[in-house]
Amino acid sequence: MSDPGKSLFKLAATMLLLTVFIFDQIATNTFPRNFRQTVVMVYGNSGHGSGSVVKSTDKKSLILTNRHVCEGVGYTEAEINTIKDITKGAMICMFAPESEDCLKIISEYEKFLKSLNHIGREVTIKFNNLKHPDIKGKVLRMSDKADLCLVEVQEGNLPVMELARNEAIPGDKVTSIGNPKYMTNHQTQGFVGDEIVYENRPYQQHSGIIMGGNSGGPVVSADRGELVGVNTLGTPDPTASYMIPLREIKKFLEE
């Protein structure tokens, strides 16, 4: 005959193991990852933006940010002085945007920008939560189809931002994180809205407030802390910000 006590003990042990397994799966798949440690500041002689580590080996890491951040902070001091010379007197464009002088300034400025090659340019990376000094990075690749850029740093084994498996859809709650005005880990929460197409490029609206310096920073799902977008554009309406959708990010990283 079987011992009823042993049978109850086996049943209780089985139920305990099953409970531990279930809670482990819930914790693994539901609790937000510590995405904040993956966020960085990308800066140079002429400003700064934000970014996040999306790949890391034992020797190198890749940081995802906006193309306009890479273009905006990678200037040399000589180039900054050239821009100042070209745009001297640009105040006239406020009062006479169609004037010959204004159009000449705009033409010279656009011609100068087109002459620059930003690939290989040096930028500086400041880590939000890691206790090591700022390091140098180089612009590795920029997209012609979306406002995205990859920066490579010679620093390995860094925390990596996980990409979400699914696109964000209207109504999803998200957290936007970045470094506006030299603040670090500035976070706002909001909800995802509809997509728009501007100049043949898709953007997705969200209601998280972003400011100058947030550009290139991640937008993550509120429940799992996974990347669903990259901030690219703010508007005068603080509740109408725009991010690059996840599918465009994945396309760029897979190229």
Side-chain angles (χ1 to χ4, degrees):
M1 292 180 63
S2 61
D3 187 340
K6 288 183 178 180
S7 298
L8 287 174
F9 177 80
K10 288 181 180 180
L11 178 60
T14 301
M15 293 299 295
L16 177 61
L17 288 173
L18 183 59
T19 302
V20 170
F21 174 78
I22 291 172
F23 274 96
D24 179 71
Q25 290 299 304
I26 292 173
T28 300
N29 294 294
T30 304
F31 295 164
R33 293 181 173 88
N34 193 7
F35 59 86
R36 296 165 187 83
Q37 289 190 3
T38 75
V39 182
V40 300
M41 180 186 293
V42 183
Y43 68 98
N45 292 318
S46 54
H48 79 279
S50 301
S52 51
V53 181
V54 292
K55 185 176 181 180
S56 188
T57 66
D58 59 342
K59 294 181 180 179
K60 298 179 182 180
S61 300
L62 296 180
I63 292 165
L64 180 67
T65 185
N66 285 149
R67 176 177 178 131
H68 79 258
V69 169
C70 290
E71 291 176 333
V73 304
Y75 295 119
T76 65
E77 291 186 11
E79 288 167 345
I80 292 173
N81 290 331
T82 299
I83 291 173
K84 288 179 179 178
D85 290 339
I86 292 174
T87 57
K88 191 180 297 182
M91 184 69 71
I92 191 174
C93 293
M94 293 182 61
F95 306 101
E98 301 298 327
S99 68
E100 185 177 336
D101 288 340
C102 177
L103 295 177
K104 182 180 179 181
I105 291 171
I106 293 173
S107 177
E108 289 184 6
Y109 180 62
E110 290 179 344
K111 184 178 179 180
F112 174 74
L113 293 183
K114 288 179 181 179
S115 71
L116 300 178
N117 179 14
H118 292 274
I119 302 300
R121 292 283 181 116
E122 187 176 84
V123 296
T124 304
I125 303 298
K126 181 182 181 69
F127 292 86
N128 286 12
N129 284 330
L130 301 180
K131 296 180 180 180
H132 58 60
D134 298 355
I135 62 175
K136 298 296 181 181
K138 287 189 176 181
V139 176
L140 181 68
R141 186 158 56 87
M142 297 192 298
S143 174
D144 294 324
K145 301 174 183 177
D147 186 16
L148 294 171
C149 174
L150 277 178
V151 174
E152 182 181 74
V153 295
Q154 303 298 312
E155 183 85 12
N157 298 318
L158 296 176
V160 173
M161 173 69 72
E162 298 288 340
L163 271 63
R165 289 168 291 182
N166 301 313
E167 296 276 327
I169 60 175
D172 283 354
K173 189 174 183 180
V174 291
T175 298
S176 175
I177 183 168
N179 305 290
K181 300 180 180 180
Y182 292 95
M183 294 184 285
T184 57
N185 281 325
H186 178 269
Q187 298 171 64
T188 58
Q189 288 194 325
F191 294 90
V192 174
D194 292 329
E195 285 194 18
I196 65 168
V197 176
Y198 177 68
E199 294 183 344
N200 295 318
R201 294 180 178 181
Y203 298 90
Q204 196 164 19
Q205 185 264 331
H206 68 86
S207 57
I209 299 172
I210 64 173
M211 298 176 280
N214 272 114
S215 289
V219 181
V220 303
S221 55
D223 58 343
R224 292 175 60 86
E226 295 176 331
L227 187 76
V228 294
V230 168
N231 276 318
T232 183
L233 178 66
T235 70
D237 181 350
T239 64
S241 303
Y242 289 91
M243 66 181 184
I244 299 169
L246 179 64
R247 65 179 182 278
E248 299 299 318
I249 296 168
K250 288 183 175 180
K251 286 179 187 177
F252 176 61
L253 295 178
E254 290 169 0
E255 290 176 357

